[in-house]
Amino acid sequence: MARAVVAGPREKLAAVIETLHEMKLIHIVDHHGEDDTFRIGKPLPPAAELSENLVKLRSIANILALKAPPKTSEEVRIDELREKILTLELNITEEDEARKKATALLSDLDRRIEELRPFADLGLPLETYRGYDSIGVLVGRITKDLSEADLEGIPAELFQGPGILAVFVPKSSVDRVLPILGKFGFTQIDIPSGEGDPRVLLDAAVADREKWESRLEEIEGRLDTLREKYAAFVVSAEEALEVEVDKAEAPLRFAVSDHSFVVDGWVPKKRFQELRGKLEARGTYVETAESHDAHEEAEPPVQLRNPKPAKPFEFLIHLYSTPSYRELDPTLFLFIAAPFFFGFMIGDAGYGAIFIAMGLVASSRIKRESIWWRIFFVTAIGGVWAFLLGFFVFGEAFGMPFHPALGHPEELSFESFGIYVPLDALIHKGLDIKDMMYLSLLFAALHLGAGYVFGFVNELGHNKKYALAKLGWFLCLFGLFTLLTSILSWSPVAHWVWNVLLGWFPRTLERNLSGFVGQPIPLVSLILIFGCLLGLTESIIAPIEVASLLANVMSYTRLAGLGIGKAAIASAFNTIIFEGLIRSGQIGFLILGVVFLVLAQLLVFLLGWISAGIQALRLNYVEAFIKFFKGNGTPFRPFGARTTSEV
């Protein structure tokens, strides 16, 4: 990024704004008016009218309930918009007022009908319930029938309908009657206003409701017609007005004096000369920090640049925090790690294929600008890993292994149904738990180690002491990893790593140095762990954080836990449903089994998607990013662009 300052005479302000908006290159640094000479500018003259038109148009769009963008767009001219908007506002406002009136009347009629319905069941005229000096009237709902004998000798007259009761008693006896009525679930209700037979009143209210409901349908129909006719115009006009308002209000971000203006901002270095050429052709002056270093301390905005497959992952980085200008962009780090962790936890060829299919469908049905397109794309990348690992490593699909595990011929598998897949599982999730756990630790070492390398690079140009600390923590991590590998070498995968990949690593130097498991441990591992002492350059208590680093490493065992748990749940569902229902030989149980099987697989699929997705991101956000990523950067938002620029 290059700091750019644009200065020119005030009469050229509108033309410069037009050029800047058209080029979409400069990220404007707002002027806050702290200068006595240069004040915050005032909007251009058309701003008030444009803003008013935009407010009216948004109100129209709200009335028409425009949710999805129209399939077609319409060319609009700014100078003709006001008259069209006023005419459209007049027509639509009349219909909206009619709709509000009809809706309010329907709401009142609904309340009136609900009030009258219980009194229609009693059948007494409404004036019967009021106007007495010595008689109290209690009307309410009851849960069980009541008779005069239940009133314990209190003089009263009862009228009952289905679930409704009216009691006429002397006013002096009301307090005695209420506790008795309470035993029958009595809940008092208000007496509706008006006079006459409530049944006649109820019929009239229902008829009025039907009439107004019909009118409301007519109004909604007219609004639907207006929506279809003007949707393209409203959307296109709103977009055009937003652009014009953005330009008209731009001076509020500039420094303006009586005779000149100054625009301060950031421009991508490789396009600075293009910007300078166009603006200087308009008689303005442009300088950059390359020739003047007055803004050396300022933090430039961040414009992420990643390979095309990794770009959809950038929203996950912004969700955490935008990287600062002087640190590495972690998008590629996340692009490699998160989908792999997701695929390892799913580890199923069947579910992986569904994730891939979802991504393909989304790519053809959803616009690339949508957040949902990015979510489905990220999920599909994880689905590729889930398919590959499920097919070639774990040998299973939809929670069912291709072949039964060695020594367990009774296990339900594809082979049980005569389906032979010419691939043997390298790791059986349900039986090779020790290998799954060790693989999680191996991934932890690789992931956190890469994080420390990123941290070393980030700090190298800023603070060499902190960079040295990152190197020390990397050595400490490697020491912990080799120590755990030597202790867990009874696991086949750990044994292979220890003797093949780490065959060069020095073994035990002192035979009497044994671990808590009763086996020799490498002294070099312990020495490497003391690399944490380099962390003293960061903090005096840094070496204490070895326990925290070990906790970070052990946190990755959630990869194995979720992978094994998902497989166990799916396998249990498959076994119960196939053995108990589908293979029963009865057509009813067969149909029921198929329904239950689909529901069970859907449940496992959704649980796996949610839990694996959350944990894959968590291991990056919580465990790894804190090793190197500070964030708090400012996204590059060029003037004129409607969204954050990430190209």
Side-chain angles (χ1 to χ4, degrees), residues 21 50-70 72-78 81-82 84-85 88 230-247 642:
H21 195 281
L50 290 170
S51 297
E52 182 184 353
N53 290 339
L54 183 58
V55 170
K56 290 180 182 294
L57 203 60
R58 286 174 174 168
S59 175
I60 291 170
N62 184 55
I63 293 172
L64 293 178
L66 296 177
K67 297 179 180 178
T72 59
S73 59
E74 184 174 320
E75 292 291 333
V76 296
R77 291 181 56 182
I78 297 297
L81 278 182
R82 184 167 182 81
K84 289 185 177 181
I85 290 172
L88 183 58
Y230 293 106
F233 166 76
V234 171
V235 172
S236 300
E238 185 176 2
E239 291 178 355
L241 280 173
E242 285 175 350
V243 170
E244 294 304 316
V245 168
D246 195 26
K247 290 189 287 187
R642 295 176 65 84

Side-chain angles (χ1 to χ4, degrees), residues 177-204:
V177 169
L178 282 173
I180 299 173
L181 295 179
K183 299 177 182 178
F184 293 84
F186 180 80
T187 305
Q188 194 166 357
I189 60 176
D190 295 329
I191 300 169
S193 59
E195 297 180 352
D197 189 340
R199 289 169 292 193
V200 175
L201 296 174
L202 178 62
D203 292 339

Side-chain angles (χ1 to χ4, degrees), residues 290-309:
E290 292 176 341
S291 59
H292 187 72
D293 58 359
H295 303 290
E296 199 172 290
E297 298 298 322
E299 182 77 16
V302 177
Q303 184 181 32
L304 301 184
R305 297 182 181 276
N306 290 289
K308 200 169 183 179

Side-chain angles (χ1 to χ4, degrees), residues 252-310:
L252 293 170
R253 308 177 65 187
F254 301 164
V256 179
S257 69
D258 294 336
H259 306 288
S260 61
F261 70 90
V262 177
V263 182
D264 190 6
W266 295 93
V267 179
K269 280 186 179 180
K270 65 180 182 180
R271 300 193 65 184
F272 177 79
Q273 293 303 327
E274 178 186 349
L275 179 74
R276 169 180 274 176
K278 285 204 173 186
L279 290 178
E280 289 185 346
R282 293 187 175 273
T284 58
Y285 173 74
V286 183
E287 76 165 28
T288 176
E290 292 176 341
S291 59
H292 187 72
D293 58 359
H295 303 290
E296 199 172 290
E297 298 298 322
E299 182 77 16
V302 177
Q303 184 181 32
L304 301 184
R305 297 182 181 276
N306 290 289
K308 200 169 183 179

Side-chain angles (χ1 to χ4, degrees), residues 20-164:
L20 292 177
H21 195 281
E22 180 184 340
M23 296 187 74
K24 298 176 176 56
L25 279 181
I26 187 168
H27 175 101
I28 296 174
V29 177
D30 293 347
H31 179 67
H32 297 293
E34 61 274 4
D35 195 307
D36 293 334
T37 304
F38 285 94
R39 304 170 297 278
I40 295 175
K42 296 180 180 179
L44 298 179
E49 181 179 323
L50 290 170
S51 297
E52 182 184 353
N53 290 339
L54 183 58
V55 170
K56 290 180 182 294
L57 203 60
R58 286 174 174 168
S59 175
I60 291 170
N62 184 55
I63 293 172
L64 293 178
L66 296 177
K67 297 179 180 178
K71 296 180 180 179
T72 59
S73 59
E74 184 174 320
E75 292 291 333
V76 296
R77 291 181 56 182
I78 297 297
D79 56 347
E80 298 176 352
L81 278 182
R82 184 167 182 81
E83 185 178 346
K84 289 185 177 181
I85 290 172
L86 290 175
T87 302
L88 183 58
E89 182 188 32
L90 181 63
N91 294 333
I92 289 179
T93 302
E94 289 178 357
E95 296 294 351
D96 186 49
E97 290 297 328
R99 178 172 61 179
K100 289 178 180 177
K101 179 182 177 182
T103 302
L105 284 171
L106 284 172
S107 179
D108 291 341
L109 286 169
D110 284 336
R111 284 195 298 270
R112 180 67 171 170
I113 290 169
E114 288 302 314
E115 290 175 348
L116 289 171
R117 186 165 281 126
F119 290 87
D121 292 334
L122 290 174
L124 297 175
L126 292 181
E127 61 269 19
T128 307
Y129 299 98
R130 58 175 68 90
Y132 302 106
D133 294 329
S134 59
I135 297 177
V137 182
L138 301 173
V139 184
R141 302 185 186 278
I142 55 174
T143 56
K144 52 184 178 179
D145 291 339
L146 177 76
S147 65
E148 292 184 6
D150 295 318
L151 295 179
E152 301 175 2
I154 299 174
E157 188 173 3
L158 305 180
F159 297 88
Q160 295 191 60
I164 190 73

